[in-house]
C-alpha cells in the first residue's frame, strides 16, 4: 500500500492543478513595456520578493485598429454586479450621453462620453434591446470596440410605471420642500432620474 | 520477556517502579492512576495529563473543521460576485493603460487586508508588497502615504510607518460588500488625500490555494494629461473625443473618480475571496495537524495505560509467588 502512495499523490496533484484554474491566470499575454520597467525597478530595490502582478497581466489584449471599417461593433456592457453584454457583435448602439443621445456605429471616432440616466438601445439586425442605465461612462475605441460602464442597467420592460409616477411625485415634493443645498441636490437627482424613467417608458 | 518489557516501560515513564505503599490489586488501573497521582507523585500521572491534552486537541480539531466549512460557504457566495465584477476594471485598463512604473511626486498606497485573522499569510504578503512599493517610490521630493483598509494591515504598518498612515478603515465586512458602500469609501479617500497616483495593493483570487499579490494604479487627472502629452501608453488618449461636461479636465476628473471606485470594488471583492480561501486552507491544514497530534497522543496514552496495567500484574504475581514460596 505504501508503494502506491506516491503514484496516488501524483495523480491527485495533477488532477487538482488541471481541474479548476481560471482562464486569465495561465494564458498570460506577453508583458507590456510598462510592466517590464516596473519589474526591473522593483527587482533592483527589493530583490527578495517577487513583484506584484498588474491588471494588464490579467486581460486579454484588445484587437488592434483595423485598416478598413469593420462591419460590426463589439459592445461590452458592464455593471459592478455583472457583465450584461460582453463581446457582443451588433450593428449600432445609442448611448444617453450628457450632451444627448449619441449613436455609435462601427468605425466611430474614438470617444469618451459621460452618460446621464437614460436609455441604451442595442440594435442588431432587426432586434432592438433597450436598457435603462443609471449613468456612467462609455468608451468607444478606434478598433470598433465600445465599452459601456454603468452602475445599474435594467431592461425597460422590467420597470413598473406606477412606481415611476409615485417616485416622481415624491421627489418633486421633496424638491419643493428642500431647505439645504444637499437636500436640494438629492431631490433634484431623484427628479432627474424619475423623469428620465418616465420618458423611457413613454418614448 | 515480561521483565524486559517492564524495564522498557519503566525507562519511558521515568518513574520508580518500587512503590512505598502496597497497591490494592482490585482497584482499576485508571482509578489507581488518579490515586497514585495524589499519593505518589510521578508513576501514572501521564494518563490523566495525556487525556486532558487529547480532549483539548479534539475540541480544537472540531472548531477548525467548522471554521473551514464556514469559510467554504462564504467563499462560494462571494466568488460569484467577484467573477461578475471582473469586467468592471477592464475597460479602464484598455483605455488608460497600466502604468505601475509612473513617476510621480505624491504616491498613495491603498492596502486592502482583512479584519479577522487565521487566514494564512495573505495579509503579511500585502504588507510586504506595500512596503516594497513605498521603498520603490521613495526619493527626494517624493512622498508616499498609506491608506489602510482592514485591521490586520493597520496592526503591522503602525509599528514602523506610523507617520505615513493617512487614513485607516476597519470593519468593512460587517455588511456584505456592495458598490454603494465602496463608492462612498472611495469618495472619502479622494476627498481627504492629496494624490498624484493611487496604488491599490490586494490579493487576486486565482484559485482556492493560489492568491497572487497585485497592484493597480489609478492616476490623478493632471498626471493623466501629463502622461498623455508625454506619449507612450496614454499618448492615444488625446485622439479620443470628449463628449459631455464643460471641459476635458472635468470629464477626466469624473473618469478618474469612477475608475478608482470601480477598481476598488473589484479589489475588495477579490481580497475577500482570497481571505476566505486562505482561511479554508489554513483551517484545513490545522485540522489535519490536530488529527496527527491526536493519533500520536492516543498511542502514548495506550502505551502508558498498558504499562501501568503490566506493572500492577507483575506486582500481584510477584506478591503471590512470594507468598507461595
Amino acid at each position: 500500500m505504501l508503494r502506491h502512495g506516491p503514484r496516488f499523490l501524483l495523480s491527485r496533484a495533477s488532477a487538482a492543478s488541471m481541474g479548476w484554474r481560471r482562464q486569465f491566470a495561465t494564458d498570460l499575454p506577453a508583458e507590456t513595456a510598462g510592466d517590464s520597467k516596473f519589474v526591473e525597478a522593483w527587482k533592483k530595490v527589493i530583490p527578495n520578493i517577487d513583484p506584484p502582478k498588474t491588471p494588464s497581466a490579467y486581460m486579454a489584449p484588445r484587437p488592434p485598429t483595423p485598416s478598413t471599417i469593420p462591419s460590426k461593433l463589439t459592445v461590452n456592457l458592464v455593471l459592478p454586479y455583472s457583465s450584461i453584454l460582453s463581446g457582443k457583435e451588433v450593428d449600432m448602439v445609442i448611448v444617453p450621453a450628457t450632451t444627448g443621445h449619441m449613436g455609435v456605429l462601427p468605425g466611430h471616432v474614438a470617444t469618451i462620453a459621460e452618460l446621464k440616466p437614460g436609455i441604451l438601445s442595442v440594435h442588431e439586425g432587426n432586434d432592438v434591446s433597450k436598457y435603462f442605465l443609471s449613468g456612467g461612462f462609455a468608451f468607444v475605441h478606434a478598433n470598433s470596440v465600445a465599452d459601456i460602464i454603468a452602475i445599474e442597467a435594467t431592461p425597460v420592460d422590467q420597470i413598473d410605471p406606477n412606481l415611476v409616477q409615485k417616485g416622481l411625485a415624491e421627489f418633486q415634493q421633496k424638491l419643493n420642500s428642500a431647505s439645504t443645498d444637499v437636500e436640494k441636490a438629492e431631490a433634484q437627482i431623484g427628479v432627474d432620474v424619475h423623469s428620465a424613467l418616465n420618458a423611457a417608458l413613454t418614448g | 520477556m515480561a521483565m524486559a518489557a517492564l524495564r522498557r516501560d519503566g525507562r519511558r515513564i521515568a518513574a520508580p517502579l518500587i512503590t512505598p505503599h502496597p497497591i490494592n490489586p482490585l482497584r482499576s488501573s485508571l482509578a489507581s492512576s488518579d490515586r497514585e497521582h495524589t499519593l505518589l507523585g510521578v508513576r501514572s500521572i501521564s494518563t490523566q495529563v495525556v487525556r486532558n491534552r487529547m480532549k483539548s486537541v479534539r475540541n480544537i480539531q472540531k472548531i477548525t473543521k467548522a471554521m473551514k466549512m464556514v469559510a467554504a460557504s462564504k467563499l462560494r457566495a462571494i466568488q460569484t460576485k467577484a467573477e461578475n465584477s471582473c469586467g468592471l476594471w477592464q475597460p479602464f485598463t484598455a483605455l488608460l493603460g497600466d502604468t505601475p512604473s509612473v513617476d510621480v511626486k505624491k504616491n498613495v498606497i491603498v492596502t486592502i487586508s482583512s479584519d479577522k485573522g487565521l487566514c494564512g499569510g495573505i495579509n503579511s504578503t500585502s504588507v510586504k508588497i506595500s512596503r516594497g512599493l513605498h521603498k520603490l517610490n521613495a526619493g527626494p521630493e517624493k512622498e508616499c502615504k498609506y491608506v489602510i483598509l482592514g485591521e490586520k494591515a493597520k496592526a503591522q504598518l503602525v509599528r514602523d510607518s506610523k507617520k505615513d498612515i493617512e487614513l485607516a478603515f476597519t470593519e468593512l465586512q460587517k455588511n456584505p460588500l456592495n458598490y454603494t458602500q465602496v463608492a462612498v469609501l472611495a469618495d472619502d479617500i479622494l476627498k481627504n488625500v492629496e494624490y498624484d497616483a493611487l496604488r491599490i495593493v490586494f490579493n487576486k483570487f486565482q484559485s482556492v490555494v493560489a492568491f497572487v499579490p497585485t497592484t493597480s494604479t489609478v492616476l490623478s487627472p493632471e498626471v493623466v494629461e501629463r502622461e498623455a502629452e508625454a506619449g507612450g501608453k496614454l499618448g492615444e488618449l488625446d485622439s479620443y473625443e470628449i463628449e459631455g461636461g464643460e471641459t476635458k479636465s472635468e470629464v477626466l476628473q469624473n473618469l478618474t473618480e469612477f475608475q478608482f471606485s470601480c477598481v476598488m470594488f473589484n479589489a475588495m471583492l477579490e481580497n475577500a475571496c482570497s481571505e476566505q480561501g486562505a482561511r479554508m486552507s489554513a483551517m484545513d491544514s490545522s485540522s489535519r495537524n490536530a488529527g496527527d497530534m491526536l493519533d500520536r497522543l492516543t498511542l502514548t496514552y495506550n502505551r502508558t495505560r498498558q504499562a501501568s496495567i503490566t506493572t500492577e500484574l507483575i506486582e500481584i504475581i510477584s506478591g503471590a509467588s512470594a507468598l507461595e514460596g
Side-chain angles (χ1 to χ4, degrees):
Chain A
M1 186 178 118
L2 285 175
R3 248 180 294 137
H4 292 302
R7 216 184 309 154
F8 174 59
L9 280 174
L10 192 63
S11 66
R12 262 191 79 189
S14 61
S17 66
M18 280 194 310
W20 184 26
R21 257 207 303 217
R22 299 227 293 223
Q23 259 290 314
F24 37 71
T26 49
D27 313 319
L28 297 180
E31 280 192 16
T32 52
D35 284 347
S36 49
K37 207 170 126 193
F38 175 65
V39 168
E40 278 165 26
W42 176 279
K43 287 215 165 84
K44 262 196 284 192
V45 183
I46 307 126
N48 298 329
I49 310 178
D50 280 336
K53 294 255 174 349
T54 48
S56 50
Y58 299 114
M59 235 176 85
R62 288 295 177 90
T65 313
S67 41
T68 59
I69 298 178
S71 57
K72 294 272 200 183
L73 183 69
T74 319
V75 168
N76 298 321
L77 172 61
V78 285
L79 309 180
Y81 303 107
S82 62
S83 307
I84 298 194
L85 303 170
S86 95
K88 188 153 182 224
E89 306 249 328
V90 297
D91 295 322
M92 178 172 81
V93 288
I94 303 184
V95 293
T98 43
T99 48
H101 281 82
M102 189 174 85
V104 180
L105 290 155
H108 195 281
V109 68
T111 312
I112 302 176
E114 212 180 315
L115 303 176
K116 65 169 191 245
I119 300 198
L120 169 82
S121 42
V122 179
H123 298 254
E124 181 175 1
N126 291 329
D127 309 312
V128 178
S129 16
K130 293 197 182 177
Y131 301 91
F132 184 80
L133 296 181
S134 66
F137 268 87
F139 308 142
V140 183
H141 301 277
N143 52 8
S144 292
V145 176
D147 292 315
I148 304 168
I149 313 156
I151 312 292
E152 291 279 357
T154 47
V156 168
D157 43 13
Q158 289 182 6
I159 303 180
D160 183 357
N162 299 332
L163 288 176
V164 171
Q165 297 294 350
K166 248 188 357 178
L168 186 60
E170 197 187 310
F171 275 100
Q172 267 174 345
Q173 201 198 31
K174 271 200 205 152
L175 184 61
N176 293 336
S177 64
S179 46
T180 64
D181 276 338
V182 178
E183 275 178 41
K184 259 197 212 136
E186 284 179 13
Q188 185 66 49
I189 293 173
V191 166
D192 283 341
V193 172
H194 280 84
S195 16
L197 272 168
N198 218 358
L201 286 174
T202 52
Chain B
M1 167 84 166
M3 288 309 290
L6 193 59
R7 248 181 280 131
R8 256 207 318 271
D9 288 329
R11 240 178 276 129
R12 214 174 295 152
I13 301 174
L17 290 175
I18 305 173
T19 64
H21 302 279
I23 301 161
N24 187 343
L26 294 175
R27 260 182 288 148
S28 72
S29 70
L30 290 182
S32 70
S33 64
D34 292 343
R35 197 71 75 88
E36 282 164 68
H37 169 50
T38 51
L39 289 177
L40 311 164
V42 193
R43 153 139 357 176
S44 307
I45 187 175
S46 346
T47 54
Q48 181 64 354
V49 171
V50 173
R51 250 188 329 161
N52 284 338
R53 281 208 79 182
M54 276 168 66
K55 197 164 75 169
S56 64
V57 170
R58 210 175 288 130
N59 283 339
I60 289 182
Q61 191 185 34
K62 282 191 209 155
I63 291 173
T64 52
K65 271 201 191 138
M67 282 184 77
K68 178 186 166 191
M69 294 290 123
V70 167
S73 68
K74 283 194 182 162
L75 176 67
R76 236 172 309 156
I78 208 166
Q79 197 180 350
T80 38
K81 268 190 176 176
E83 279 183 10
N84 286 337
S85 82
C86 75
L88 197 58
W89 53 267
Q90 286 180 3
F92 293 106
T93 315
L95 179 74
L96 296 169
D98 191 27
T99 49
S101 52
V102 70
D103 194 19
V104 289
K105 290 220 178 43
K106 298 203 189 113
N107 285 294
V108 175
I109 303 181
V110 181
T111 313
I112 305 187
S113 69
S114 64
D115 282 334
K116 303 205 188 118
L118 294 181
C119 50
I122 53 168
N123 291 324
S124 316
T125 325
S126 288
V127 169
K128 266 196 291 195
I129 302 282
S130 306
R131 289 209 182 112
L133 280 175
H134 185 105
K135 212 163 133 186
L136 193 65
N137 287 309
E141 291 186 7
K142 286 207 271 192
E143 59 173 80
C144 204
K145 297 256 172 215
Y146 289 107
V147 169
I148 305 181
L149 277 71
E151 197 54 66
K152 293 284 153 189
K154 187 166 117 175
Q156 289 191 30
L157 284 171
V158 117
R159 263 190 277 143
D160 58 356
S161 319
K162 190 158 179 196
K163 56 179 175 40
D164 281 332
I165 300 179
E166 279 275 348
L167 293 170
F169 297 91
T170 53
E171 295 204 7
L172 291 159
Q173 299 234 28
K174 248 201 318 206
N175 308 318
L177 279 174
N178 64 357
Y179 183 74
T180 328
Q181 175 193 26
V182 176
V184 170
L185 184 73
D187 203 24
D188 229 353
I189 296 179
L190 290 171
K191 264 200 282 241
N192 291 328
V193 174
E194 276 182 22
Y195 67 99
D196 283 333
L198 288 151
R199 297 171 196 276
I200 306 172
V201 176
F202 62 103
N203 290 85
K204 195 163 175 72
F205 181 78
Q206 229 184 56
S207 79
V208 184
V209 294
F211 321 106
V212 183
T214 314
T215 171
S216 307
T217 318
V218 174
L219 303 169
S220 76
E222 296 92 16
V223 177
V224 169
E225 291 216 31
R226 191 187 79 189
E227 292 284 317
E229 280 161 32
K233 269 213 219 138
L234 288 176
E236 296 168 11
L237 196 63
D238 273 337
S239 61
Y240 282 77
E241 271 196 29
I242 311 283
E243 291 265 348
E246 321 288 300
T247 61
K248 182 171 172 184
S249 52
E250 202 183 294
V251 172
L252 274 182
Q253 170 96 6
N254 289 342
L255 185 64
T256 314
E257 294 180 1
F258 192 42
Q259 182 189 10
F260 183 52
S261 67
C262 288
V263 173
M264 277 287 282
F265 182 63
N266 188 55
M268 287 177 74
L269 280 176
E270 296 269 352
N271 204 56
C273 279
S274 307
E275 179 199 336
Q276 300 298 345
R279 187 166 295 133
M280 247 181 85
S281 51
M283 292 295 106
D284 184 44
S285 54
S286 135
S287 317
R288 215 172 301 134
N289 281 344
D292 288 343
M293 231 169 130
L294 208 54
D295 287 340
R296 275 200 308 269
L297 284 172
T298 311
L299 285 176
T300 320
Y301 176 71
N302 282 332
R303 266 204 300 269
T304 324
R305 187 178 54 88
Q306 286 160 3
S308 66
I309 293 174
T310 314
T311 322
E312 280 206 43
L313 281 174
I314 300 267
E315 287 176 1
I316 295 166
I317 294 171
S318 38
S321 65
L323 283 175
E324 278 171 28

